[in-house]
Amino acid sequence: MRNDKENIIVNKTFDFALNIIEFSEDLYNANRFPLANQIFKSGTSIGADVREAQNAESKADFIHKLKIAAKKADETEYWLLLYLKSSHLISPND
């Protein structure tokens, strides 16, 4: 079922993962290790799941794999919102 032509979702999720890596490194440098790890894991797995869907064995398998990617996107949104809402609680020197 793989199709190697240009795929905007594959490209955008890959670019998103690159941004997540950079953001996670910034969090890590700010000693926000737990958030950095969670955001890194969930944020980079979205693109991996979308890529995996490109090799689906059936339409149902494709849909299932994309639903997993959607769940990871929701999880990533949760961690990013948690960061936004908690960033004022931790001083830059912590």
Side-chain angles (χ1 to χ4, degrees):
M1 189 170 191
R2 183 168 176 111
N3 185 346
D4 288 328
K5 59 183 184 173
E6 188 75 12
N7 185 319
I8 192 167
I9 295 172
V10 170
N11 293 342
K12 289 210 176 264
T13 56
F14 184 81
D15 291 342
F16 181 74
L18 292 174
N19 289 330
I20 285 293
I21 291 168
E22 184 177 347
F23 183 63
S24 296
E25 287 174 354
D26 290 344
L27 287 177
Y28 189 83
N29 291 334
N31 296 323
R32 304 284 307 266
F33 305 117
L35 276 175
N37 291 336
Q38 291 294 339
I39 290 170
F40 178 85
K41 285 192 269 185
S42 63
T44 57
S45 70
I46 299 165
D49 292 334
V50 168
R51 285 283 296 258
E52 186 178 347
Q54 305 311 300
N55 293 306
E57 296 175 14
S58 66
K59 184 176 181 178
D61 187 35
F62 177 77
I63 291 168
H64 175 72
K65 289 179 185 335
L66 284 185
K67 284 184 178 183
I68 292 170
K71 286 181 180 183
K72 290 296 182 176
D74 285 342
E75 180 184 351
T76 303
E77 181 183 33
Y78 170 80
W79 290 115
L80 291 171
L81 287 171
L82 192 61
Y83 165 76
L84 285 174
K85 298 292 184 175
S86 69
S87 60
H88 71 282
L89 301 174
I90 300 174
S91 71
N93 297 331
D94 285 348

